[in-house]
Amino acid sequence: MIDYNALLKTELAGVYGDFLQKVSQINKWYAIYEGEQKWEIPSGLDYTPTRKITNIIKKLIDARSRFMFGNPPYFDIRPVQSDNKDSTTYQDQAAEKEALLEKILAENKFYAKLLKARKDCSIGGRIAIKLWANRDEGLKIIFSPAQEFFPQFNEDDIDLLEKVVFLYAVNDETDINKQRIKKQVWEVINGQCILNESIYNGRGEPVEVLYEDYDTGLDFIPIIVIQNGGLTGETEGKSDVEQLWSNQDAYNRLTSDDIDALRFQMFGQDVITDADENSIKNIKIAPGALIDLQTEPTAGDRQAKVERLESRFTYADKFADTVNRIKNDMYDTMEIPNVSLEQLKGLMQSGKSMKALYWALMAACDEDWTEWGPALEQMVDYIFRMVDVYNLYGARKVAKYETTLEIHRYYPIPEDEADDKRIDMEEVAAQLRSRKAYMKKWGDYEDVDSELEQIRLEQEMLKDDFTRAVEGELGDEI
């Protein structure tokens, strides 16, 4: 395993304590999320106890992430200045800048990464978005889980990022001398972002220097850290796995014990009294078999007999109540309604009912958005500033257009989409939004410009037909 303490002590000495212990804990949370939830079994038993794992943690984290980012957000770029009458200059500039952003996001498969990053943030407590620019390859958007980066914030301003260290294992060698770990350090020095990057062996000894005091030309660190929950002044974030684990462990143990109880008690037992030992040995258990049951000579006046002792379950209701309470507690922790498909059938006809059912989850996602929203806005700002500095895609002029950004989110509830479409249509009618922006947001068109041109041609054809019809009627009257 990477010796985090040896590699980080010179970078972040005395700031965050035992890095190895923290990374080990994060890796444990990931293992639990993936289903490694076994527990110790007492020794000396005459049977093998059941270990049944029902991974509710993974289900809940995936469900909340899908609810928040399953429908990708829309980055709506608009002009700062309004166009004059019969002019679309500023709207065209905003559309061009938005198209550039969409190109960069699409090339990086951003929306798929965003959904996965939400899960990582929920498991590890935080994630980082790193922007990497290359004049030939363009701009790369890289998401890193909590165990790969170590940020250092300003002591007086917790929002000011001063330094970030990334550690990556380059290979899987077991020989410590052959292990290769990449250490990447981003730091602001005298107002400039400086990059140092080196390759180390498993002992933390440098093997190769890739960048040394490299001036990136930026006046900011192109990294955004997003936390999962937490309080004022906290920089670690909270893991949802940690909050859910005690209930998950109890649920697994109870359901496993229940299976064993059923296995040993669901079948009745035959009870034979006052029977001769030899006749007992000759009993055969088979359909239609006869039993030659002889009474034990010493039984006196008693007669040998066979009875069947059936199991009587008395804990079923209590067990169901207990496991349901545990499961509901886990759902409540993540603010996810625990409802079945049958229960949903009566609500699906009413969008308001569906909204009420998911109100707590929507409120929780809105709370998460107070962290994610500004972070994504900052990411977009950094993207355009880097396009400007490095003239990426030859679009320096486009990156400098004065625009505003609004990020729209869509929860997977039908009424939300219908209301949003109606509001956007009203904006188009009031000339507060262009038709092109509406079609890009809601339509599935290969080429929006071609579609708009086709609409224009059809309108002209209808207008010409109407004009000819009117002229024909007037000619007839004359």
Side-chain angles (χ1 to χ4, degrees):
M1 187 175 182
I2 298 174
D3 189 347
Y4 291 92
N5 292 333
L7 289 167
L8 292 169
K9 66 182 180 181
T10 58
E11 303 291 347
L12 306 172
V15 180
Y16 292 105
D18 192 338
F19 299 102
L20 182 59
Q21 181 181 1
K22 292 182 179 182
V23 171
S24 297
Q25 181 60 64
I26 295 172
N27 287 337
K28 179 182 177 182
W29 290 332
Y30 269 90
I32 291 172
Y33 169 81
E34 293 295 344
E36 294 183 21
Q37 302 171 10
K38 292 183 179 180
W39 57 93
E40 291 295 326
I41 291 178
S43 58
L45 301 177
D46 57 356
Y47 73 101
T48 302
T50 301
R51 276 179 175 161
K52 183 181 184 301
I53 295 172
T54 304
N55 198 350
I56 302 175
I57 287 179
K58 180 179 175 66
K59 179 180 179 180
L60 292 176
I61 288 177
D62 289 357
R64 182 155 166 175
S65 299
R66 283 194 301 268
F67 190 84
M68 187 167 180
F69 287 131
N71 287 343
Y74 171 64
F75 293 83
D76 187 7
I77 295 180
R78 301 191 185 187
V80 173
Q81 302 183 52
S82 300
D83 284 306
N84 295 325
K85 189 177 181 180
D86 300 327
S87 173
T88 60
T89 301
Y90 295 122
Q91 281 195 8
D92 291 343
Q93 288 179 353
E96 190 177 0
K97 193 170 182 179
E98 186 177 299
L100 173 63
L101 177 62
E102 282 298 324
K103 175 186 176 181
I104 294 171
L105 297 180
E107 288 179 349
N108 283 275
K109 299 179 180 178
F110 174 78
Y111 298 113
K113 291 179 180 178
L114 183 65
L115 179 59
K116 295 174 183 177
R118 179 64 188 88
K119 298 176 185 180
D120 280 309
C121 192
S122 187
I123 299 166
R126 65 184 180 186
I127 58 105
I129 305 175
K130 179 170 66 174
L131 305 177
W132 182 274
N134 184 291
R135 286 185 174 86
D136 297 325
E137 299 178 8
L139 190 140
K140 301 298 179 184
I141 303 174
I142 303 165
F143 288 91
S144 295
Q147 63 268 51
E148 289 185 356
F149 70 96
F150 306 86
Q152 180 176 313
F153 298 90
N154 185 280
E155 292 182 358
D156 298 320
D157 185 359
I158 202 67
D159 296 322
L160 184 58
L161 190 62
E162 293 184 336
K163 182 189 251 186
V164 185
V165 182
F166 288 87
L167 292 179
Y168 306 99
V170 179
N171 59 28
D172 295 324
E173 294 288 341
T174 55
D175 186 342
I176 197 169
N177 293 309
K178 294 181 179 179
Q179 290 175 355
R180 292 295 180 265
I181 300 112
K182 179 185 287 187
K183 181 169 81 170
Q184 193 179 79
V185 183
W186 302 78
E187 186 175 10
V188 172
I189 300 176
N190 297 324
Q192 291 298 116
C193 178
I194 305 300
L195 172 64
N196 285 279
E197 186 174 326
S198 302
I199 303 293
Y200 293 79
N201 62 20
R203 301 180 185 277
E205 301 167 344
V207 175
E208 179 184 0
V209 176
L210 303 176
Y211 293 95
E212 185 173 7
D213 295 332
Y214 176 74
D215 187 347
T216 62
L218 305 173
D219 59 359
F220 61 91
I221 299 176
I223 294 159
I224 304 98
V225 177
I226 302 175
Q227 291 183 195
N228 187 52
L231 300 175
T232 302
E234 291 187 6
T235 59
E236 298 288 331
K238 300 294 184 182
S239 169
D240 291 328
V241 176
E242 183 179 21
Q243 298 180 63
L244 295 168
W245 170 236
S246 60
N247 276 325
Q248 175 72 77
D249 187 43
Y251 187 91
N252 287 341
R253 290 172 184 258
L254 277 172
T255 53
S256 297
D257 289 343
D258 181 56
I259 291 173
D260 288 336
L262 285 172
R263 185 171 61 177
F264 290 117
Q265 298 184 37
M266 71 185 297
F267 301 108
Q269 288 182 305
D270 292 322
V271 178
I272 302 173
T273 56
D274 297 326
D276 180 70
E277 183 178 353
N278 291 324
S279 67
I280 294 175
K281 291 179 180 179
N282 293 325
I283 291 176
K284 291 184 179 180
I285 306 299
L290 295 176
I291 300 177
D292 181 17
L293 191 64
Q294 301 294 325
T295 302
E296 173 69 30
T298 59
D301 295 335
R302 297 189 302 272
Q303 183 69 32
K305 59 181 178 178
V306 177
E307 295 178 320
R308 188 164 184 82
L309 183 63
E310 297 293 346
S311 175
R312 295 179 181 179
F313 292 101
T314 59
Y315 73 95
D317 292 339
K318 294 180 180 179
F319 169 78
D321 182 59
T322 301
V323 294
N324 285 334
R325 265 203 328 270
I326 293 172
K327 192 173 182 180
N328 286 331
D329 191 27
M330 295 179 73
Y331 274 79
D332 289 344
T333 300
M334 298 295 285
E335 302 291 356
I336 296 175
N338 184 16
V339 291
S340 66
L341 185 59
E342 290 296 324
Q343 292 172 300
L344 281 175
K345 283 181 179 179
L347 299 170
M348 288 181 179
Q349 297 176 355
S350 170
K352 290 183 179 179
S353 298
M354 289 287 288
K355 226 172 184 179
L357 180 63
Y358 286 93
W359 185 260
L361 179 56
M362 292 168 65
C365 289
D366 288 341
E367 181 183 349
D368 291 340
W369 188 251
T370 60
E371 180 79 19
W372 284 83
L376 294 180
E377 290 174 1
Q378 187 177 29
M379 179 197 74
V380 172
D381 177 57
Y382 284 178
I383 286 174
F384 286 129
R385 287 167 70 178
M386 294 174 75
V387 170
D388 178 20
V389 170
Y390 303 122
N391 194 25
L392 302 174
Y393 313 100
R396 175 175 287 159
K397 181 181 177 182
V398 176
K400 289 183 176 181
Y401 290 150
E402 293 187 7
T403 55
T404 61
L405 171 67
E406 185 176 354
I407 305 176
H408 301 277
R409 295 175 295 135
Y410 310 101
Y411 295 130
I413 298 176
E415 187 183 357
D416 266 5
E417 184 174 312
D419 284 346
D420 287 340
K421 282 186 176 181
R422 178 182 55 78
I423 293 169
D424 288 350
M425 279 296 295
E426 291 174 356
E427 290 185 353
V428 172
Q431 296 185 350
L432 298 174
R433 176 190 292 270
S434 69
R435 293 183 178 183
K436 184 174 182 178
Y438 179 89
M439 293 171 70
K440 287 182 67 177
K441 180 177 179 180
W442 295 110
D444 185 17
Y445 306 102
E446 293 183 3
D447 188 342
V448 175
D449 291 326
S450 297
E451 192 70 24
L452 285 169
E453 179 64 18
Q454 182 63 31
I455 293 172
R456 186 187 67 79
L457 291 173
E458 290 177 359
Q459 288 176 337
E460 287 184 358
M461 290 172 62
L462 291 172
K463 184 178 179 181
D464 291 343
D465 290 343
F466 176 75
T467 302
R468 283 194 295 269
V470 172
E471 289 176 349
E473 289 180 3
L474 291 175
D476 292 341
E477 291 178 3
I478 294 173

